[in-house]
Amino acid sequence: MPLHLGPFVRWRSGLVLAWICLFSSGFTFTGGEHAATVTHPLPAAFSDLLPHFLVEPDDVYIVKNKPVTLTCRSTPATQIYFKCNGEWVHQDQHLIERDVDPATGLPVMQVKIDISRQQVEKIFGLDDYWCQCVAWSTTGTQKSQKAYVRIAYLRKNFEEEPLGKEVALDQEVLLHCHPPEGVPPAEVEWQRNEELIDPKTDPNFFITVDHNLIIKQARLADTGNYTCMAKNIVARRKSSSATVIVYVDGGWSEWSKWSPCGADCTMWRSRECTQPTPSTGGKECQGLDLQSLNCTSEQCPQTASGAEDVALYVGIVAVALCLTLLLIVLVLVYRRKKEGLDADVADSSILTTGFQPMGIKPTKPGVWAPRRAAHSKNSHLLTIQPDLTSTTTSYQGTLRSRHEVTGKFSVSNGPLLEPLPNGSHTLHNGKLPSDPNDFMNRLSSQTYFKTLPRDNVNTSYGTFNFLGGRLTLPNTGISLLIPPEAIPRGKIYEIYLTIQKKEDMRLPLAGCQTLLSPVVSCGPPGVMLTRPVILSMDHCSDACLENWAIRLKKQSYEGMWEDVLQLGEEVVSEPYYCQLEAETCRVFTEQLGRFALVGESLSMAASKRLKLLLFAPAYCSTLEYNIRVYCMDDTQDLLKEVMQMERQLGGRLIDEPHVLLFKDSYHNLRLSIHDMPQAHWRSKLLAGYQEIPFYHIWSGSQRTLHCTFTLERQSLSTCDLTCKLCVWQVEGEGQSFTLDFNISKDIRPLDSDFLLMDNCTPALAGPSAFQIPYLIRQKICSSLDTPCPNGADWRLLAQRLKLDRHLSLIALKANLIVPPSLQSLSKATPPDSGNLNQLAAVMAEIGKQEAMIFLVSDGEC
């Protein structure tokens, strides 16, 4: 009780006490001609009552700048005062009302106070602003409950927004939504195509306590744009729309009845892809829609009667036997000559090749170049000049089946493409002359390849035999190496290599999984290989295997994605294993198909490499100037895609790319721009920074994710721009770009073309596809495969090439696949002079340099 109220309270208490005594004795007041008599005397126990509250103050929220009112009502009470945050509220701020309860005759007192936003904002710390009222009677005091006063707000950005999905019919769909932070907490509603979703009227929908939306069984009618709505007493927020597409995969109807047997001794039956018909992007039915069967009927007699018929058939059989014997003799003679010719051609073409010099495009002064191989001090071991009299590396013989197969050649475990006419090809200088459109048309006509994109830019193809070769997708880091003898002798395969766009593939990811590589297809699937081929592609993990569970996924014939390998848990019986380097993944596989590398983080320390690129218009004639910041997975195929897209938009790279490690910490990525000359430039961004949600980046569903900063100059004559652009993960790593250039006269050598320096031939067949000639490579392998007492064998080579993790696996698979040293040498087979230098250095370390020089000299002879 404040001291200045003491006399007042004592005087008032005495007055009330006297008033109660008078009324309790039936005293009558008279004044002039009027008198008032108490008809309902107070109970005798009134003086013993403590005040109790009829109305207590409740929690309230201040919306914007509007003050709130707290109310307290008590009986019997002689006085009521408010206390807020431990301090008495001044009596002048109280609004007091007095009354008498007509039922009991007890006095009732009501007090109100107003609380402003300024009063609440003065309170700092973890405690909220609170108030309570204290009521007095002649007997004692009572305190009401505490009422908390909070400032209401609702932030703009959702902590998690729903992401679009493509789902099969009747599949369960889960859309996540974490509303923005707010006081009071926001209520969440869901909309489909701007219409409110009510689970009470449509039980197929269910909203969880965490505000996520579940579609129990997806229907075709559930296709649409879904939006998460958050609201409280302050505002309403709307998330970005997530498009859900419900697709229907096609299914066969039953086979029709067999047709009557025709004159060609064949009957037919068919079926249709109508149970159901594929729709909204669903897959076509797999398999044949038409079948034939040999038969007999009256129109196709298969029995002969009479001596004339018998004689005719005997004569035909005799002629056939004679022709068969003659053909066998001719084939044997041809094979003997052919074997000698093949050996001569193979030996001469390989030995005259030597070590082919590799041309490296020099980088411009002052310009960065991507992923340059370090120069080795032992590179002189591989610099012996080849025979300059050999100007070409060509196989002038005919790549023909040794069994002269002129029709379709079949493989038991999958479909195969038809060979070219006469079953042969001629290779000149190791390059494959072929029509891209013709190859793609024939390839897409196959039933299994209906989903293959008709994109000549991102597809390489070639025809190969037992000499092997290489397919490369330029500027993507993706290649397929076909070692010699991987294709059986007598077989000719048409092989393709293509990259799939992520949005075209339904790659299922769950939990903390993320796509670490491009989705790559090589085929045709089902071809028979006697040795593994090597598929190389980029990945964007930090390569710290203790933080990851990395799996190789392969798509089956039915379209389902299956785990075929987990790094560190390779099984000898499986036809796959994987070599993970700092930025490249090399997949050794005995089966062609569609592959992708998927990682699942085991801790929050797991990181993905993001490539940060800055683009701006090459020419600007308006006051507005846009800077686009791309935050994408650090793989060369995405870099190529962004470069091509920006070239079409008229953009150019304005600073050196940076790499950012993005951790699995659930924190968002933020971007901001600073330090602009305010007199000439201003940012049109209203907030202090832009933010990309964590899941948009970690899921990898958006290939070219970027933010745009729109700047405005004061006049068209302002051309000099200086600023600092920052990109960072909340509570994580960050990068900054310092820009200082003239937007109209920028002559810095930052042409984006130099980042795409890979001018290699997409397809190379035969010896020209390998830097180390075949016979020389075989000699190196034979010298290393034999165990040495001092340990200078393939095991030491594998250790020096940092393949220790694969030692046991290589040893176990040595007799099943290829010699162990050849597997180790696979690292040196891509066309990179840095790899040859590394191989030369390793050979020098293990004491084999003289053998290499001798072997190189032999290759020149």
Side-chain angles (χ1 to χ4, degrees):
M1 183 73 183
L3 295 177
H4 65 276
L5 295 179
F8 169 76
V9 171
R10 289 193 296 271
W11 172 82
R12 190 167 179 175
S13 300
L15 181 62
V16 170
L17 182 60
W19 179 77
I20 294 174
C21 294
L22 290 174
F23 270 83
S24 62
S25 61
F27 183 82
T28 301
F29 288 95
T30 59
E33 301 178 353
H34 303 283
T37 306
V38 177
T39 58
H40 299 285
L42 294 175
F46 171 70
S47 59
D48 297 332
L49 292 178
L50 286 172
H52 70 275
F53 292 98
L54 303 176
V55 176
E56 295 185 75
D58 292 322
D59 295 344
V60 289
Y61 298 95
I62 296 178
V63 179
K64 297 182 179 179
N65 292 319
K66 184 178 180 180
V68 295
T69 300
L70 298 179
T71 303
C72 193
R73 185 179 178 88
S74 177
T75 183
T78 57
Q79 55 182 335
I80 301 175
Y81 284 96
F82 271 93
K83 176 185 287 188
C84 294
N85 281 74
E87 297 182 358
W88 293 102
V89 179
H90 196 275
Q91 60 183 7
D92 295 340
Q93 299 178 11
H94 293 72
L95 179 62
I96 303 175
E97 297 180 6
R98 301 180 187 278
D99 198 1
V100 176
D101 189 342
T104 62
L106 297 177
V108 178
M109 189 174 184
Q110 178 175 289
V111 176
K112 297 181 179 179
I113 62 171
D114 291 336
I115 305 297
S116 66
R117 184 188 183 101
Q118 290 76 14
Q119 292 175 262
V120 177
E121 289 178 340
K122 290 180 181 179
I123 302 299
F124 296 98
L126 300 178
D127 294 332
D128 291 327
Y129 189 95
W130 59 269
C131 294
Q132 68 177 165
C133 55
V134 182
W136 280 267
S137 70
T138 57
T139 304
T141 62
Q142 286 282 31
K143 294 181 180 179
S144 70
Q145 66 182 8
K146 288 184 178 180
Y148 290 90
V149 182
R150 300 180 177 92
I151 299 175
Y153 67 92
L154 184 62
R155 301 199 183 280
K156 293 184 178 180
N157 296 326
F158 280 73
E159 297 188 10
E160 182 181 0
E161 292 187 290
L163 298 176
K165 295 183 178 181
E166 294 184 5
V167 296
L169 188 68
D170 296 329
Q171 181 180 339
E172 182 181 271
V173 183
L174 173 62
L175 296 178
H176 293 275
C177 178
H178 196 169
E181 179 185 353
V183 174
E187 299 178 358
V188 173
E189 297 176 343
W190 282 88
Q191 292 182 347
R192 181 183 63 192
N193 298 332
E194 305 296 332
E195 295 183 359
L196 183 66
I197 295 176
D198 187 2
K200 295 181 180 178
T201 59
D202 190 347
N204 195 42
F205 293 103
F206 177 73
I207 300 178
T208 67
V209 293
D210 297 328
H211 312 301
N212 299 325
L213 177 66
I214 295 178
I215 305 176
K216 299 177 182 178
Q217 287 184 312
R219 305 160 295 191
L220 289 178
D222 293 327
T223 297
N225 296 320
Y226 288 78
T227 309
C228 182
M229 301 289 296
K231 64 178 181 179
N232 64 5
I233 60 177
V234 179
R236 297 171 62 93
R237 306 293 184 211
K238 188 176 182 180
S239 73
S240 58
S241 295
T243 301
V244 174
I245 298 177
V246 182
Y247 60 87
V248 180
D249 290 334
W252 294 111
S253 58
E254 295 183 4
W255 286 101
S256 65
K257 294 182 178 179
W258 288 103
S259 66
C261 189
D264 58 350
C265 300
T266 304
M267 58 182 180
W268 303 83
R269 70 173 181 174
S270 62
R271 58 179 178 174
E272 297 180 349
C273 187
T274 57
Q275 295 292 329
T277 302
S279 62
T280 58
K283 293 183 294 186
E284 295 283 345
C285 298
Q286 303 293 322
L288 300 175
D289 58 356
L290 190 65
Q291 280 187 343
S292 64
L293 188 66
N294 293 334
C295 61
T296 60
S297 69
E298 295 178 358
Q299 298 178 1
C300 175
Q302 295 294 311
T303 59
S305 61
E308 296 179 357
D309 293 340
V310 172
L312 176 63
Y313 288 131
V314 170
I316 293 175
V317 170
V319 172
L321 288 175
C322 293
L323 293 176
T324 302
L325 292 174
L326 179 61
L327 180 61
I328 292 174
V329 172
L330 293 175
V331 169
L332 291 175
V333 172
Y334 173 79
R335 289 185 63 182
R336 289 177 180 273
K337 295 182 178 180
K338 183 66 176 177
E339 288 175 356
L341 176 63
D342 284 348
D344 295 340
V345 172
D347 291 343
S348 63
S349 63
I350 292 173
L351 290 176
T352 56
T353 300
F355 285 91
Q356 301 176 20
M358 302 297 295
I360 306 297
K361 181 179 178 181
T363 56
K364 301 177 182 179
V367 181
W368 64 92
R371 302 181 180 178
R372 263 183 288 188
H375 181 71
S376 173
K377 64 179 181 180
N378 296 294
S379 60
H380 65 279
L381 295 176
L382 298 177
T383 58
I384 298 178
Q385 297 298 321
D387 185 4
L388 298 180
T389 62
S390 177
T391 58
T392 62
T393 305
S394 60
Y395 178 38
Q396 302 296 344
T398 301
L399 301 185
R400 184 188 302 274
S401 170
R402 295 186 180 274
H403 301 288
E404 291 295 311
V405 180
T406 58
K408 292 184 178 179
F409 52 92
S410 61
V411 177
S412 59
N413 57 343
L416 199 60
L417 300 178
E418 298 179 0
L420 296 185
N422 301 325
S424 64
H425 278 288
T426 300
L427 306 185
H428 297 281
N429 296 323
K431 299 183 181 179
L432 300 170
S434 179
D435 181 11
N437 294 322
D438 175 67
F439 179 84
M440 294 301 295
N441 289 335
R442 288 191 290 121
L443 191 63
S444 60
S445 65
Q446 303 294 318
T447 303
Y448 183 77
F449 305 115
K450 287 185 177 180
T451 59
L452 187 68
R454 302 173 66 89
D455 184 0
N456 295 339
V457 177
N458 293 319
T459 301
S460 294
Y461 46 86
T463 306
F464 302 93
N465 69 348
F466 71 96
L467 293 176
R470 180 193 308 278
L471 287 176
T472 303
L473 298 178
N475 305 311
T476 64
I478 299 171
S479 65
L480 180 69
L481 180 69
I482 306 168
E485 304 295 342
I487 297 176
R489 288 179 178 263
K491 297 291 186 180
I492 299 176
Y493 294 162
E494 278 186 313
I495 296 180
Y496 68 87
L497 177 67
T498 185
I499 184 173
Q500 308 283 154
K501 297 296 181 64
K502 294 179 183 177
E503 54 266 21
D504 295 337
M505 304 302 301
R506 302 187 184 101
L507 189 65
L509 299 175
C512 300
Q513 290 184 342
T514 179
L515 192 59
L516 296 177
S517 74
V519 181
V520 180
S521 296
C522 57
V527 297
M528 182 177 64
L529 298 173
T530 57
R531 285 182 177 177
V533 296
I534 305 171
L535 177 64
S536 299
M537 55 186 175
D538 285 358
H539 70 86
C540 61
S541 77
D542 58 4
C544 296
L545 293 180
E546 61 270 14
N547 298 328
W548 290 94
I550 299 180
R551 295 177 175 86
L552 179 67
K553 286 184 176 286
K554 182 176 182 291
Q555 193 175 31
S556 64
Y557 282 91
E558 294 77 17
M560 302 297 292
W561 284 93
E562 302 172 346
D563 293 341
V564 296
L565 171 70
Q566 179 169 343
L567 266 68
E569 299 181 5
E570 293 86 352
V571 180
V572 180
S573 59
E574 294 297 329
Y576 313 95
Y577 81 92
C578 184
Q579 175 181 320
L580 193 71
E581 301 171 9
E583 298 175 344
T584 305
C585 170
R586 306 196 191 278
V587 178
F588 292 69
T589 174
E590 300 173 48
Q591 298 177 2
L592 302 183
R594 185 168 293 157
F595 297 93
L597 203 65
V598 173
E600 182 175 3
S601 60
L602 302 178
S603 69
M604 296 179 67
S607 301
K608 289 180 63 174
R609 297 192 323 273
L610 299 185
K611 179 80 77 177
L612 307 178
L613 300 173
L614 267 62
F615 285 89
Y619 174 77
C620 180
S621 60
T622 62
L623 295 177
E624 287 190 352
Y625 187 74
N626 294 323
I627 298 178
R628 292 180 291 275
V629 185
Y630 288 85
C631 309
M632 61 188 190
D633 292 348
D634 185 17
T635 57
Q636 293 183 58
D637 66 297
L638 280 180
L639 177 62
K640 176 181 178 180
E641 183 176 339
V642 170
M643 291 294 185
Q644 292 174 342
M645 182 174 62
E646 280 293 332
R647 187 178 294 114
Q648 296 175 356
L649 295 175
R652 69 183 305 271
L653 199 65
I654 61 173
D655 204 354
E656 176 181 351
H658 288 21
V659 175
L660 175 71
L661 289 180
F662 188 79
K663 293 186 176 181
D664 182 19
S665 62
Y666 298 96
H667 289 298
N668 298 340
L669 189 71
R670 291 181 178 177
L671 304 92
S672 61
I673 192 165
H674 311 275
D675 303 338
M676 287 188 301
Q678 300 297 325
H680 304 289
W681 292 87
R682 75 177 185 92
S683 172
K684 302 187 73 173
L685 182 65
L686 299 180
Y689 55 84
Q690 298 191 62
E691 196 166 46
I692 302 178
F694 169 82
Y695 292 96
H696 287 192
I697 298 176
W698 195 258
S699 66
S701 60
Q702 301 186 36
R703 289 173 59 84
T704 55
L705 193 65
H706 69 278
C707 286
T708 300
F709 288 92
T710 301
L711 311 181
E712 187 177 46
R713 47 181 172 169
Q714 299 300 324
S715 67
L716 293 176
S717 61
T718 301
C719 296
D720 292 324
L721 174 61
T722 59
C723 63
K724 187 175 184 180
L725 199 147
C726 300
V727 183
W728 75 99
Q729 186 180 16
V730 179
E731 298 185 10
E733 184 178 310
Q735 292 283 3
S736 63
F737 298 82
T738 301
L739 304 178
D740 186 2
F741 64 102
N742 187 298
I743 65 174
S744 62
K745 300 179 181 179
D746 189 10
I747 58 174
R748 294 177 301 165
L750 296 181
D751 190 353
S752 60
D753 290 336
F754 78 88
L755 284 177
L756 307 178
M757 298 170 55
D758 191 357
N759 296 321
C760 61
T761 304
L764 289 173
S768 61
F770 307 93
Q771 285 185 286
I772 306 177
Y774 176 70
L775 292 182
I776 297 178
R777 188 165 62 251
Q778 290 297 98
K779 291 180 180 179
I780 296 175
C781 290
S782 62
S783 68
L784 292 173
D785 287 341
T786 304
C788 296
N790 59 356
D793 53 20
W794 68 270
R795 294 174 180 81
L796 187 57
L797 175 65
Q799 291 177 357
R800 292 296 189 269
L801 293 177
K802 300 186 185 304
L803 301 177
D804 307 62
R805 188 173 62 86
H806 303 287
L807 281 178
S808 58
L809 185 66
I810 292 176
L812 290 172
K813 296 178 76 72
N815 297 326
L816 302 177
I817 305 178
V818 290
S821 59
L822 187 57
Q823 296 190 39
S824 301
L825 284 173
S826 66
K827 181 170 181 172
T829 53
D832 186 342
S833 62
N835 288 328
L836 281 182
N837 294 337
Q838 182 186 8
L839 178 60
V842 172
M843 294 295 288
E845 289 181 13
I846 64 177
K848 297 288 185 178
Q849 69 272 22
E850 67 284 349
M852 284 198 66
I853 296 176
F854 174 75
L855 292 174
V856 172
S857 301
D858 285 348
E860 295 174 350
C861 296

